[in-house]
Short mmCIF file of all heavy atoms in Angstrom, two decimals:
data_model
loop_
_atom_site.label_atom_id
_atom_site.label_comp_id
_atom_site.label_asym_id
_atom_site.label_seq_id
_atom_site.Cartn_x
_atom_site.Cartn_y
_atom_site.Cartn_z
N ALA A 1065 89.06 98.15 51.76
CA ALA A 1065 90.43 98.64 52.25
C ALA A 1065 90.50 98.79 53.72
O ALA A 1065 91.41 98.18 54.26
CB ALA A 1065 90.64 100.07 51.59
N ASP A 1066 89.58 99.35 54.37
CA ASP A 1066 89.56 99.45 55.83
C ASP A 1066 89.32 98.22 56.45
O ASP A 1066 89.95 97.85 57.56
CB ASP A 1066 88.62 100.50 56.37
CG ASP A 1066 89.12 101.99 56.22
OD1 ASP A 1066 90.29 102.26 56.51
OD2 ASP A 1066 88.35 102.89 55.87
N PHE A 1067 88.50 97.22 55.82
CA PHE A 1067 88.37 95.94 56.45
C PHE A 1067 89.69 95.12 56.28
O PHE A 1067 89.97 94.36 57.18
CB PHE A 1067 87.23 95.28 55.60
CG PHE A 1067 86.95 93.88 56.23
CD1 PHE A 1067 86.25 93.76 57.48
CD2 PHE A 1067 87.36 92.56 55.57
CE1 PHE A 1067 86.00 92.43 58.00
CE2 PHE A 1067 87.07 91.42 56.12
CZ PHE A 1067 86.46 91.30 57.38
N GLY A 1068 90.42 95.37 55.17
CA GLY A 1068 91.73 94.76 55.06
C GLY A 1068 92.69 95.18 56.29
O GLY A 1068 93.33 94.34 56.83
N ARG A 1069 92.53 96.48 56.71
CA ARG A 1069 93.33 96.90 57.78
C ARG A 1069 92.91 96.30 59.06
O ARG A 1069 93.65 95.84 59.73
CB ARG A 1069 93.37 98.49 57.85
CG ARG A 1069 93.95 99.22 56.82
CD ARG A 1069 93.87 100.65 56.84
NE ARG A 1069 94.56 101.43 55.93
CZ ARG A 1069 94.08 101.87 54.77
NH1 ARG A 1069 92.80 101.46 54.48
NH2 ARG A 1069 94.83 102.37 53.86
N PHE A 1070 91.54 96.21 59.23
CA PHE A 1070 91.02 95.64 60.44
C PHE A 1070 91.41 94.07 60.47
O PHE A 1070 91.69 93.76 61.58
CB PHE A 1070 89.45 95.71 60.40
CG PHE A 1070 88.74 94.91 61.41
CD1 PHE A 1070 88.56 95.44 62.62
CD2 PHE A 1070 88.01 93.76 60.94
CE1 PHE A 1070 88.04 94.62 63.57
CE2 PHE A 1070 87.39 93.05 61.95
CZ PHE A 1070 87.26 93.36 63.21
N ALA A 1071 91.31 93.50 59.36
CA ALA A 1071 91.64 91.97 59.36
C ALA A 1071 93.14 91.72 59.74
O ALA A 1071 93.47 90.81 60.46
CB ALA A 1071 91.27 91.31 58.10
N LEU A 1072 93.99 92.59 59.22
CA LEU A 1072 95.33 92.53 59.52
C LEU A 1072 95.77 92.73 60.94
O LEU A 1072 96.44 92.09 61.48
CB LEU A 1072 96.08 93.34 58.55
CG LEU A 1072 97.63 93.37 58.54
CD1 LEU A 1072 98.10 91.95 58.02
CD2 LEU A 1072 98.27 94.51 57.60
N GLY A 1073 95.09 93.88 61.47
CA GLY A 1073 95.29 94.03 62.90
C GLY A 1073 94.70 92.99 63.80
O GLY A 1073 95.33 92.69 64.89
N THR A 1074 93.55 92.59 63.35
CA THR A 1074 92.99 91.41 64.22
C THR A 1074 93.81 90.16 64.18
O THR A 1074 93.95 89.41 65.23
CB THR A 1074 91.46 91.11 63.68
OG1 THR A 1074 90.81 92.31 63.76
CG2 THR A 1074 90.82 90.12 64.50
N ALA A 1075 94.46 89.91 63.06
CA ALA A 1075 95.35 88.78 62.93
C ALA A 1075 96.53 88.98 63.89
O ALA A 1075 97.05 88.01 64.68
CB ALA A 1075 95.78 88.52 61.55
N GLY A 1076 97.01 90.25 63.93
CA GLY A 1076 98.01 90.51 65.00
C GLY A 1076 97.60 90.29 66.33
O GLY A 1076 98.36 89.75 67.21
N ALA A 1077 96.40 90.72 66.68
CA ALA A 1077 95.90 90.61 68.06
C ALA A 1077 95.81 89.01 68.37
O ALA A 1077 96.05 88.60 69.54
CB ALA A 1077 94.52 91.15 68.18
N VAL A 1078 95.44 88.15 67.49
CA VAL A 1078 95.27 86.76 67.65
C VAL A 1078 96.66 86.26 67.94
O VAL A 1078 96.75 85.37 68.96
CB VAL A 1078 94.53 86.07 66.56
CG1 VAL A 1078 94.53 84.61 66.59
CG2 VAL A 1078 93.04 86.55 66.33
N VAL A 1079 97.71 86.56 67.19
CA VAL A 1079 98.97 86.13 67.46
C VAL A 1079 99.50 86.48 68.80
O VAL A 1079 100.05 85.64 69.54
CB VAL A 1079 99.90 86.68 66.33
CG1 VAL A 1079 101.35 86.34 66.67
CG2 VAL A 1079 99.63 86.15 65.00
N LEU A 1080 99.22 87.72 69.23
CA LEU A 1080 99.71 88.22 70.55
C LEU A 1080 98.88 87.41 71.62
O LEU A 1080 99.51 87.01 72.62
CB LEU A 1080 99.32 89.68 70.68
CG LEU A 1080 100.21 90.60 70.08
CD1 LEU A 1080 99.73 92.13 70.22
CD2 LEU A 1080 101.65 90.53 70.65
N ASN A 1081 97.60 87.14 71.42
CA ASN A 1081 96.73 86.36 72.43
C ASN A 1081 97.39 85.00 72.58
O ASN A 1081 97.57 84.51 73.71
CB ASN A 1081 95.28 86.36 71.96
CG ASN A 1081 94.58 85.47 72.84
OD1 ASN A 1081 94.47 85.57 74.06
ND2 ASN A 1081 93.90 84.36 72.18
N ILE A 1082 97.60 84.34 71.44
CA ILE A 1082 98.16 83.03 71.57
C ILE A 1082 99.55 82.95 72.13
O ILE A 1082 99.90 82.06 72.99
CB ILE A 1082 98.24 82.28 70.14
CG1 ILE A 1082 96.81 82.13 69.62
CG2 ILE A 1082 99.12 81.05 70.05
CD1 ILE A 1082 96.82 81.65 68.12
N LEU A 1083 100.39 84.00 71.88
CA LEU A 1083 101.80 83.96 72.26
C LEU A 1083 101.80 84.25 73.78
O LEU A 1083 102.63 83.53 74.49
CB LEU A 1083 102.52 85.08 71.55
CG LEU A 1083 103.97 85.21 71.74
CD1 LEU A 1083 104.81 83.95 71.45
CD2 LEU A 1083 104.59 86.44 71.07
N LEU A 1084 101.02 85.06 74.32
CA LEU A 1084 101.12 85.38 75.76
C LEU A 1084 100.14 84.74 76.58
O LEU A 1084 100.34 84.49 77.88
CB LEU A 1084 100.96 86.93 75.79
CG LEU A 1084 101.88 87.71 75.14
CD1 LEU A 1084 101.66 89.19 75.20
CD2 LEU A 1084 103.30 87.56 75.76
N PHE A 1085 98.87 84.34 76.08
CA PHE A 1085 97.75 84.02 76.95
C PHE A 1085 97.29 82.53 76.73
O PHE A 1085 96.64 81.92 77.59
CB PHE A 1085 96.59 84.79 76.97
CG PHE A 1085 96.63 86.37 77.32
CD1 PHE A 1085 96.73 87.29 76.36
CD2 PHE A 1085 97.02 86.53 78.67
CE1 PHE A 1085 96.85 88.65 76.80
CE2 PHE A 1085 97.08 87.95 79.02
CZ PHE A 1085 97.14 88.82 78.12
N GLU A 1086 97.70 81.93 75.53
CA GLU A 1086 97.14 80.59 75.19
C GLU A 1086 97.56 79.54 76.31
O GLU A 1086 96.85 78.56 76.42
CB GLU A 1086 97.58 80.27 73.74
CG GLU A 1086 97.27 78.98 73.35
CD GLU A 1086 95.66 78.90 72.94
OE1 GLU A 1086 94.99 79.88 73.13
OE2 GLU A 1086 95.30 78.00 72.28
N TRP A 1087 98.83 79.77 76.73
CA TRP A 1087 99.29 78.72 77.76
C TRP A 1087 98.46 78.67 78.96
O TRP A 1087 98.13 77.71 79.65
CB TRP A 1087 100.81 78.83 78.16
CG TRP A 1087 100.99 80.03 78.95
CD1 TRP A 1087 101.13 81.29 78.64
CD2 TRP A 1087 101.14 80.00 80.49
NE1 TRP A 1087 101.39 82.17 79.68
CE2 TRP A 1087 101.39 81.38 80.81
CE3 TRP A 1087 101.03 79.05 81.31
CZ2 TRP A 1087 101.52 81.63 82.14
CZ3 TRP A 1087 101.30 79.36 82.75
CH2 TRP A 1087 101.54 80.71 82.95
N LEU A 1088 97.78 79.80 79.29
CA LEU A 1088 96.93 79.81 80.36
C LEU A 1088 95.71 79.09 80.16
O LEU A 1088 95.05 78.29 81.01
CB LEU A 1088 96.65 81.27 80.87
CG LEU A 1088 97.71 82.07 81.44
CD1 LEU A 1088 97.29 83.50 81.50
CD2 LEU A 1088 97.99 81.60 82.87
N ARG A 1089 95.05 79.32 78.90
CA ARG A 1089 93.87 78.56 78.46
C ARG A 1089 94.08 77.11 78.39
O ARG A 1089 93.26 76.32 78.98
CB ARG A 1089 93.41 79.11 77.18
CG ARG A 1089 92.06 78.62 76.71
CD ARG A 1089 91.77 78.93 75.31
NE ARG A 1089 92.62 78.23 74.51
CZ ARG A 1089 92.52 76.92 73.98
NH1 ARG A 1089 91.52 76.24 74.47
NH2 ARG A 1089 93.33 76.35 73.13
N LEU A 1090 95.18 76.79 77.88
CA LEU A 1090 95.53 75.28 77.72
C LEU A 1090 95.72 74.60 79.08
O LEU A 1090 95.22 73.55 79.34
CB LEU A 1090 96.84 75.15 76.97
CG LEU A 1090 96.64 75.47 75.52
CD1 LEU A 1090 98.13 75.55 74.80
CD2 LEU A 1090 95.87 74.36 74.71
N SER A 1091 96.33 75.32 80.03
CA SER A 1091 96.53 74.81 81.48
C SER A 1091 95.22 74.68 82.15
O SER A 1091 94.89 73.54 82.83
CB SER A 1091 97.33 75.71 82.27
OG SER A 1091 98.77 75.75 81.61
N ALA A 1092 94.30 75.65 81.98
CA ALA A 1092 92.87 75.53 82.51
C ALA A 1092 92.17 74.44 81.94
O ALA A 1092 91.54 73.57 82.73
CB ALA A 1092 92.24 76.91 82.32
N THR A 1093 92.30 74.24 80.61
CA THR A 1093 91.52 73.09 79.93
C THR A 1093 92.09 71.77 80.42
O THR A 1093 91.33 70.83 80.50
CB THR A 1093 91.77 73.33 78.49
OG1 THR A 1093 91.29 74.57 78.01
CG2 THR A 1093 90.95 72.18 77.67
N ARG A 1094 93.36 71.65 80.56
CA ARG A 1094 94.11 70.44 80.83
C ARG A 1094 94.17 69.97 82.34
O ARG A 1094 93.97 68.82 82.66
CB ARG A 1094 95.34 70.18 80.16
CG ARG A 1094 96.17 68.87 80.40
CD ARG A 1094 95.42 67.73 79.70
NE ARG A 1094 96.10 66.44 79.83
CZ ARG A 1094 95.78 65.70 80.88
NH1 ARG A 1094 94.93 65.97 81.83
NH2 ARG A 1094 96.43 64.51 80.93
N PHE A 1095 94.21 71.06 83.18
CA PHE A 1095 94.65 70.76 84.58
C PHE A 1095 93.76 71.31 85.59
O PHE A 1095 93.82 71.07 86.80
CB PHE A 1095 96.09 71.25 84.91
CG PHE A 1095 97.25 70.71 84.11
CD1 PHE A 1095 97.77 71.42 83.04
CD2 PHE A 1095 97.69 69.54 84.25
CE1 PHE A 1095 98.71 70.84 82.31
CE2 PHE A 1095 98.68 68.83 83.62
CZ PHE A 1095 99.21 69.54 82.54
N TYR A 1096 92.67 72.04 85.15
CA TYR A 1096 91.72 72.50 86.10
C TYR A 1096 90.43 71.85 85.94
O TYR A 1096 90.00 71.49 84.72
CB TYR A 1096 91.41 74.07 85.87
CG TYR A 1096 90.44 74.72 86.79
CD1 TYR A 1096 90.86 75.08 88.07
CD2 TYR A 1096 89.19 74.97 86.33
CE1 TYR A 1096 89.98 75.68 88.93
CE2 TYR A 1096 88.39 75.62 87.06
CZ TYR A 1096 88.64 76.01 88.36
OH TYR A 1096 87.79 76.54 89.32
N SER A 1097 89.78 71.55 87.03
CA SER A 1097 88.34 70.84 87.00
C SER A 1097 87.63 71.08 88.20
O SER A 1097 88.20 71.70 89.17
CB SER A 1097 88.62 69.33 86.77
OG SER A 1097 89.26 68.75 87.90
N ALA A 1098 86.53 70.54 88.31
CA ALA A 1098 85.62 70.70 89.65
C ALA A 1098 86.48 70.03 90.82
O ALA A 1098 86.50 70.58 91.97
CB ALA A 1098 84.27 70.18 89.54
N ARG A 1099 87.16 68.90 90.57
CA ARG A 1099 87.87 68.22 91.57
C ARG A 1099 89.02 69.05 92.05
O ARG A 1099 89.37 69.22 93.19
CB ARG A 1099 88.35 66.88 91.10
CG ARG A 1099 89.05 66.09 92.15
CD ARG A 1099 89.90 64.92 91.42
NE ARG A 1099 90.96 65.47 90.64
CZ ARG A 1099 92.11 65.91 91.10
NH1 ARG A 1099 92.39 65.94 92.41
NH2 ARG A 1099 92.98 66.36 90.22
N VAL A 1100 89.67 69.65 91.02
CA VAL A 1100 90.95 70.42 91.27
C VAL A 1100 90.53 71.77 92.07
O VAL A 1100 91.22 72.22 93.02
CB VAL A 1100 91.61 70.72 89.86
CG1 VAL A 1100 92.80 71.84 90.21
CG2 VAL A 1100 92.33 69.55 89.36
N ARG A 1101 89.38 72.18 91.76
CA ARG A 1101 88.86 73.38 92.38
C ARG A 1101 88.82 73.17 93.94
O ARG A 1101 89.01 74.13 94.78
CB ARG A 1101 87.59 73.77 91.83
CG ARG A 1101 86.89 75.21 92.37
CD ARG A 1101 85.66 75.54 91.72
NE ARG A 1101 85.18 76.73 92.12
CZ ARG A 1101 84.20 76.88 93.02
NH1 ARG A 1101 83.74 75.80 93.51
NH2 ARG A 1101 83.74 78.08 93.38
N GLU A 1102 88.38 71.88 94.28
CA GLU A 1102 88.24 71.57 95.74
C GLU A 1102 89.45 71.18 96.41
O GLU A 1102 89.81 71.52 97.49
CB GLU A 1102 87.06 70.63 95.87
CG GLU A 1102 85.74 71.04 95.28
CD GLU A 1102 85.16 72.13 96.23
OE1 GLU A 1102 85.51 72.26 97.47
OE2 GLU A 1102 84.38 72.92 95.68
N ALA A 1103 90.24 70.37 95.68
CA ALA A 1103 91.42 69.64 96.24
C ALA A 1103 92.65 70.49 96.09
O ALA A 1103 93.46 70.46 96.99
CB ALA A 1103 91.58 68.35 95.65
N GLU A 1104 92.81 71.30 94.99
CA GLU A 1104 94.03 72.03 94.81
C GLU A 1104 93.68 73.46 94.32
O GLU A 1104 93.99 73.92 93.38
CB GLU A 1104 94.91 71.27 93.75
CG GLU A 1104 95.31 69.90 94.11
CD GLU A 1104 95.94 69.24 92.94
OE1 GLU A 1104 95.32 68.74 92.04
OE2 GLU A 1104 97.24 69.05 93.01
N PRO A 1105 93.04 74.22 95.20
CA PRO A 1105 92.58 75.58 94.71
C PRO A 1105 93.55 76.55 94.48
O PRO A 1105 93.52 77.56 93.78
CB PRO A 1105 91.75 76.04 96.04
CG PRO A 1105 92.35 75.34 97.08
CD PRO A 1105 92.66 73.92 96.44
N TRP A 1106 94.83 76.29 94.85
CA TRP A 1106 95.99 77.18 94.55
C TRP A 1106 96.36 77.28 93.09
O TRP A 1106 97.01 78.15 92.67
CB TRP A 1106 97.22 76.83 95.43
CG TRP A 1106 97.59 75.38 95.29
CD1 TRP A 1106 97.06 74.27 96.10
CD2 TRP A 1106 98.48 74.74 94.46
NE1 TRP A 1106 97.71 73.13 95.68
CE2 TRP A 1106 98.61 73.37 94.78
CE3 TRP A 1106 99.26 75.41 93.36
CZ2 TRP A 1106 99.30 72.47 93.93
CZ3 TRP A 1106 100.09 74.34 92.65
CH2 TRP A 1106 100.08 72.90 92.99
N ILE A 1107 96.00 76.17 92.31
CA ILE A 1107 96.20 76.12 90.90
C ILE A 1107 95.54 77.21 90.22
O ILE A 1107 96.12 78.01 89.31
CB ILE A 1107 95.85 74.78 90.26
CG1 ILE A 1107 96.89 73.71 90.76
CG2 ILE A 1107 95.85 74.87 88.81
CD1 ILE A 1107 96.54 72.27 90.19
N ARG A 1108 94.16 77.45 90.48
CA ARG A 1108 93.55 78.63 89.92
C ARG A 1108 94.19 79.89 90.40
O ARG A 1108 94.17 80.87 89.52
CB ARG A 1108 92.02 78.49 90.37
CG ARG A 1108 91.25 79.59 90.03
CD ARG A 1108 90.87 79.95 88.69
NE ARG A 1108 90.26 81.23 88.47
CZ ARG A 1108 88.92 81.33 88.52
NH1 ARG A 1108 88.07 80.36 88.94
NH2 ARG A 1108 88.43 82.53 88.31
#
């Protein structure tokens, strides 16, 4: 029963994370690199 509550709440946390923060992770994955770190540091 309590694990069911925990799993339901965790699923909600994952939805919030994706909704609000996922675009940051995706942008870092696609547009940030060692080259960008040196040439365009303002992106980070």
